[in-house]
Amino acid sequence: MAEASVSRHGMWSSRLLFVLAAAGSAVGLGNIWKFPYIAGENGGGAFVVVYLLCVVLVGIPIMMAEVLLGRSGRVSPINTMRKLVINAKASPLWVLIGWMGALAGFLILSYYGVIAGWALYYGVEMASGHFTGADAAAVSGTFDDFLANPWQLLFWQTLFMAMTIFIVARGVVRGLEVAIRLFMPALFILLVVLLGYAVTSGGFAEGFAFMFHFDWSALGVDGVLVALGQAFFTLSLGMGAIMAYGAYMPANSSIGSTVVSIASLDTLIAIVAGLAIFPIVFANALEPGEGPGLMFVTIPLAFAQMPFGALFGTIFFVLVSFAAITSAISLTEPALAYLVEQYNANRARVAISLGVICWLLGIGTVLSFNHWEQITLVGGQNFFGTVDYLSQNIMLPLGGLLIALFAGWVLPRMVTEEQLGSSPWVARFFLPLVRYVAPACVLAVFAYTLYSSLT
Ligand code: PHE
């Protein structure tokens, strides 16, 4: 195959910037907002163990597969799959990986923008001193009132989507690289500050035990599927975001070690977020299974009680918003890059059109927290629950399964070696994982949930 060594969309300026960009995509609401609440809903410890297994056995090999596919194609995931299919003389059906991914990214962004909007609102409320000295009841009350008002949610969702589209329109490399360099370390430092507070909150032992206590009975049947879905979601896998970013990765950096750093960073941040949140939950007699509101109740409560809480609280929510933006941007990249290539279109124009459609779809999520809360679609879930479940628990694992199968069985060995190097390590580690282990895990989890929902 005639190899392109650069992408028309731009290139990351170094390996480090690729790591930061991919980590910027990976680290987001999935780590700080979602991981603690789904761990809480699924019983804590056993969930965390299954989740970690999913990251190592499924997440890392699939992330390597995405980067290597993307870098060998150097175009959007849909066109990369087209190129690779022709090259491997394989069925054009594999291109569905690209299409399903672009769609999944779009669905995820529709609700991601709403939740990220909450973080923006909380940043402003923190700065205004609204929470200073508030107790648990007042903090929960503020959150409930906020959710009950669709216009408020709509306002903050619109603001977040506008900021995202603005950056996306300017091009990933220019705006993004600078922001990531600054915000990722700052977010991490703040999480550590929160962790320090949690340690002294009086609930640390209980919070720690909740996260690491190994109790299988607490993990519902569905919990295993949720853990797998979370591993995909938090690592941005299964929908082509990492494939798209891989297309802009410098040719000479090693894929294996890069991917391991990204996955470790992402996992570390999720665990630290959990260890910062659960002790505060227990110290204040809150509910660990509180659901999507968990972060928006416990974190403001901690800041309400601590010295300079308004200041730290503001910084914290601003940083969460930035972590969310660096993820949101990557959610648009597969569809955006494809449309730019296909129609030779102006990036800014495509970004705005995509953004507006996604924003409209997001209104369904806005209403899911008030007027439409009780209207159920698939499996007794409301609009938000349905979009979230379908994209995260079905589309991402399915996309990941197909990516693993394609990289493991269809892609010519020559291409794999060209990308990963011909060290015996590739054959010993990567191939068995993408060929057997990762697909078997995803299939087993699918079969298990199907079986248990039928019986
Ligand atoms: N990984 C992001 C997070 O944890 C979400 C995301 C999913 C981003 C899929 C891109 C693709 O918040």
Side-chain angles (χ1 to χ4, degrees):
M1 182 167 49
E3 270 289 331
S5 61
V6 292
S7 160
R8 63 177 277 184
H9 303 285
M11 295 289 290
W12 306 117
S13 20
S14 65
R15 170 180 180 268
L16 177 67
L17 276 157
F18 172 72
V19 172
L20 288 178
S25 167
V27 175
L29 298 174
N31 307 63
I32 309 165
W33 163 70
K34 198 158 207 171
F35 173 74
Y37 96 73
I38 58 179
E41 283 178 338
N42 291 283
F47 177 88
V48 175
V49 173
V50 176
Y51 158 78
L52 290 175
L53 279 176
C54 290
V55 169
V56 174
L57 295 178
V58 183
I60 291 181
I62 292 183
M63 190 183 276
M64 288 178 66
E66 283 207 31
V67 177
L68 97 83
L69 295 180
R71 195 169 72 174
S72 54
R74 290 271 185 237
V75 276
S76 67
I78 295 173
N79 282 329
T80 286
M81 290 311 298
R82 284 186 178 151
K83 256 193 189 179
L84 295 174
V85 157
I86 293 170
N87 182 242
K89 300 192 178 55
S91 157
L93 278 177
W94 289 106
V95 181
L96 275 176
I97 293 175
W99 288 104
M100 191 171 69
L103 178 66
F106 195 74
L107 291 178
I108 294 173
L109 183 59
S110 78
Y111 70 79
Y112 206 84
V114 177
I115 315 289
W118 301 358
L120 287 178
Y121 167 76
Y122 269 72
V124 172
E125 285 295 282
M126 279 285 166
S128 74
H130 177 110
F131 287 111
T132 309
D135 60 10
V139 175
S140 304
T142 302
F143 187 62
D144 294 339
D145 293 345
F146 176 57
L147 291 193
N149 185 344
W151 293 107
Q152 283 250 35
L153 302 191
L154 185 70
F155 174 81
W156 296 100
Q157 176 223 8
T158 308
L159 187 64
F160 179 84
M161 290 299 290
M163 286 160 63
T164 302
I165 295 310
F166 176 75
I167 300 176
V168 167
R170 280 177 51 97
V172 182
V173 184
R174 265 188 305 158
L176 201 58
E177 284 201 353
V178 183
I180 289 168
R181 249 188 236 256
L182 226 84
F183 294 123
M184 300 309 290
L187 176 68
F188 194 67
I189 292 168
L190 259 151
L191 271 177
V192 173
V193 170
L194 257 185
L195 181 65
Y197 174 79
V199 169
T200 59
S201 68
F204 193 74
E206 218 179 325
F208 190 88
F210 179 74
M211 267 186 75
F212 296 111
H213 178 68
F214 200 80
D215 175 9
W216 281 109
S217 65
L219 184 72
V221 173
D222 210 35
V224 182
L225 180 66
V226 175
L228 181 77
Q230 172 64 9
F232 277 99
F233 185 83
T234 189
L235 294 172
S236 306
L237 297 179
M239 49 72 64
I242 296 294
M243 207 191 287
Y245 275 17
Y248 318 145
M249 182 186 183
N252 54 5
S253 12
S254 142
I255 292 181
S257 61
T258 305
V259 163
V260 171
S261 338
I262 298 164
S264 312
L265 204 62
D266 185 75
T267 307
L268 188 68
I269 292 188
I271 299 285
V272 171
L275 284 178
I277 287 179
F278 288 117
I280 302 167
V281 169
F282 291 112
N284 291 283
L286 297 168
E287 256 306 304
E290 142 103 28
L294 184 65
M295 178 182 104
F296 294 95
V297 176
T298 54
I299 300 271
L301 187 60
F303 285 123
Q305 312 288 334
M306 85 175 63
F308 303 107
L311 176 67
F312 283 124
T314 309
I315 301 174
F316 177 80
F317 280 104
V318 168
L319 290 171
V320 169
S321 312
F322 279 107
I325 284 198
T326 55
S327 300
I329 286 163
S330 70
L331 284 164
T332 65
E333 196 59 25
L336 183 66
Y338 172 71
L339 292 171
V340 169
E341 285 160 9
Q342 208 57 19
Y343 302 103
N344 212 359
N346 172 283
R347 187 173 163 106
R349 212 171 287 165
V350 177
I352 293 169
S353 323
L354 271 177
V356 169
I357 302 173
C358 202
W359 171 81
L360 278 173
L361 191 65
I363 295 176
T365 291
V366 163
L367 294 171
S368 299
F369 291 96
N370 35 70
H371 299 318
W372 292 2
E373 194 173 3
Q374 307 302 337
I375 300 180
T376 54
L377 302 170
V378 182
Q381 309 249 29
N382 63 23
F383 185 91
F384 161 63
T386 305
V387 176
D388 180 29
Y389 190 88
L390 286 182
S391 53
Q392 163 163 337
N393 294 343
I394 310 291
M395 294 171 87
L396 297 189
L398 191 60
L401 172 67
L402 295 175
I403 288 168
L405 291 175
F406 184 83
W409 297 98
V410 183
L411 195 71
R413 184 69 176 263
M414 215 184 69
V415 180
T416 315
E417 281 178 2
E418 207 173 76
Q419 292 298 332
L420 298 182
S422 52
S423 81
W425 190 84
V426 172
R428 243 178 256 150
F429 172 79
F430 178 72
L431 283 180
L433 281 180
V434 278
R435 283 191 164 172
Y436 306 103
V437 181
C441 290
V442 177
L443 281 174
V445 173
F446 272 150
Y448 176 57
T449 15
L450 194 67
Y451 169 79
S452 55
S453 65
L454 294 178
T455 52

